[in-house]
Amino acid sequence: MTKVTSLERPIDVWADDVKPSFVIQGLLDSFGPGCKDTKNCTFCHREGGTTPATVWCSVCDDALCDECARAHSRISSTRHHDTTDLTSEAIIPRKRNIKCKEHKDENIKFLCKDCKKVTCHTCCVIYHRKCESVVTLESELPALKSQLLNKKKTISKKQIQMEAKVDAVKVNVVSEKDRYARMEHDIKSFGNNAREKITLMENKLLDELKEVSEMHIEQLTANLKSSEISVHMYRQQTELIDQILQSECDMDVYEMYQGYEAGNVEAVEDVDVKKRGRIARIMFRQNEDMLSRALDDLQLGEIDVQYDGMVNLEATPVSQDTSNVLDLKAAPVLQNIIRVKVAGDENNVYLGDLTVLPVNGTDTVVVTDYSNNSVKSFYTRNKQRHHSKLSLGGKPWGITRLKDNQVAVTVMYRRQIVTVEVNPDLVLLSTITTSKQYRGITSLTPSTLAAGSYSDKCVDILDMRGNVLKSIKPIVRGKEIIHIPEFLCTTRTGNILVSDSGSKRVLCLPAEGDVVFTYPTTGHTTLRLPGCITRTSTGDILVTDYYQHTVVHLTESGRFVRNILTKDGGVLSPLGVCVDGRGRVYVCNYVSGKIKVFTFSNSV
């Protein structure tokens, strides 16, 4: 098959890429513009005549008139040739005699089945004497034609399928253009909403500035006026004093003295300004660092490109227009098992936390291997499984997805948080040194993290340099409620979910440090050892229970729904859990070193 590049070019341009074919050339020779017609007798034409032909000899490959045909039938060497009567419209294909490339005066007439080559008579004698199956090409024509007919049927079926595919692609092109137009509209709408909010904030600041600046100018104007009045009054008083001093009346001098002694001469002052407070100066303070972080945190969305040949962990493909919301009411179905132990692992695999993120159209599982001091990624490309391993020199535990294709991982006993790029192979980006040992971790914004400290029994909000911006340490009824914040997760509203293995509870904490809810509450199923915690796109909460071999489903408000995965469903000692964007649940078995992938189906 000839592969043509740049199909968008005109057909007459890319047709030059098609390789020459002796079959196509033969068809052109037989049926093309140069093929023989039946207008004139071939023999008479050679003598300069133009006698109309009435018979065609397929052996001689010549057209004959009536007289030449009679002579043709009397000659012993040609009397048995197959002839055909001609009509006025008939066009006879030429019989092509292919010459041997080595013996150029001999025609190709034989087929060697052993060598699968067509040959002339001399080639048969010289090169194919030992071959067992050499037959005439003419004897094989029925079988060859039969195979070609079968091939034609197969090609016709493929043609019909390809025509249907062409129609489907045409429809898909139209629908995709419409969908991309809607996506473009949505992106512009989100951008407009963001700009409108910025404009509202801008107008609010401008209105506030206008109000206080007008007030300040009004105060300055009033102060100017009162000062001018005071100047005029002081001038009058000095003139009056000059007159009194020139007076001969002692009593006038004494009364003037008493008046000034009592403080009767004061500057004129605006009483209303005095009551409201005089504005000294107005300034505009802008926190550029806060503004920069806010802009970094602003996300209109992300473009997720899916490529052919990058099958996501052997899952059933989901069309782009199908909702991938996880149906937690349906029955679980085991879809895949990922074995995390890889070449080079010196110890048994003990899995901690995991996350799944799409990288260039490939869903990639990234998991922490506590016992082998490493982070590993697993993905499927072109139906082949691949993995990557990044050694950290310490014991990793919690993991959280950052923006784009990056994750952050806590390295407990080294007081470090490392950032890793997933390509989907793993590349170490940075090492952040922290003042405490952290276990659970979650991304609040692209510029802030929340991490759980076992030693201080708190959840710290950190910047990307490891600085503690705030510590959350709630107290209920005089007691601390955070003991061992093993795993963390962020809710849709920005609250922090804490799976606390010390208190055996799930806590929901806002950044302000209050408590939104705790689970379990009195009268509900208890957790023996809560493990990893995650949320779905609808806000529902999933948390593993290591000792009870279950994955627990809670509502967004922390109400128990049911155990969606149990020991009977193949879940043993679960620790890590996460949900991808295609409605699949990934569960880590801490001891066995396996990750089980479940979908949920109503048809089971």
Side-chain angles (χ1 to χ4, degrees), residues 204-341:
K204 182 180 178 181
L205 274 176
L206 291 174
D207 291 342
E208 185 178 352
L209 175 62
K210 181 180 180 181
E211 181 181 353
V212 295
S213 61
E214 288 178 350
M215 183 186 301
H216 189 206
I217 296 301
E218 182 181 342
Q219 289 182 359
L220 291 175
T221 302
N223 186 35
L224 175 62
K225 184 176 181 180
S226 62
S227 297
E228 290 175 344
I229 294 174
S230 297
V231 169
H232 182 68
M233 184 185 68
Y234 288 144
R235 185 181 295 116
Q236 289 179 338
Q237 291 294 328
T238 56
E239 291 174 357
L240 180 60
I241 291 174
D242 287 340
Q243 292 177 5
I244 294 297
L245 291 176
Q246 295 175 5
S247 173
E248 298 295 333
C249 181
D250 296 340
M251 195 62 191
D252 289 342
V253 173
Y254 179 74
E255 288 178 352
M256 178 64 71
Y257 169 76
Q258 279 189 323
Y260 285 112
E261 187 71 16
N264 292 336
V265 181
E266 294 182 359
V268 178
E269 186 175 358
D270 192 332
V271 178
D272 188 43
V273 170
K274 190 173 182 180
K275 287 181 180 180
R276 289 182 299 174
R278 186 181 299 278
I279 298 174
R281 190 180 182 186
I282 298 174
M283 295 178 293
F284 172 57
R285 290 194 303 271
Q286 182 182 21
N287 190 329
E288 294 186 3
D289 186 50
M290 182 180 295
L291 177 61
S292 177
R293 288 201 303 269
L295 292 176
D296 288 340
D297 296 346
L298 178 63
Q299 293 186 358
L300 301 181
E302 61 183 23
I303 305 299
D304 183 10
V305 182
Q306 304 293 328
Y307 293 96
D308 289 339
M310 293 184 175
V311 183
N312 294 301
L313 294 167
E314 301 178 352
T316 302
V318 182
S319 66
Q320 293 176 332
D321 292 329
T322 302
S323 175
N324 295 321
V325 176
L326 174 63
D327 185 5
L328 294 173
K329 296 180 181 179
V333 179
L334 179 63
Q335 290 288 331
N336 192 19
I337 297 178
I338 304 171
R339 290 168 175 80
V340 179
K341 189 173 182 62

Side-chain angles (χ1 to χ4, degrees), residues 2 52 133 182 225 237 240 254 280 287 304 328 350 356 368 395 454 478 512 562 578 582 587 591-592:
T2 300
S133 181
R182 293 195 300 270
K225 184 176 181 180
Q237 291 294 328
L240 180 60
Y254 179 74
N287 190 329
D304 183 10
L328 294 173
Y350 291 144
V356 180
T368 58
K395 297 189 177 300
Y454 167 67
E512 293 75 20
R562 69 184 182 104
C578 74
R582 302 177 182 277
V587 182
V591 178
S592 72

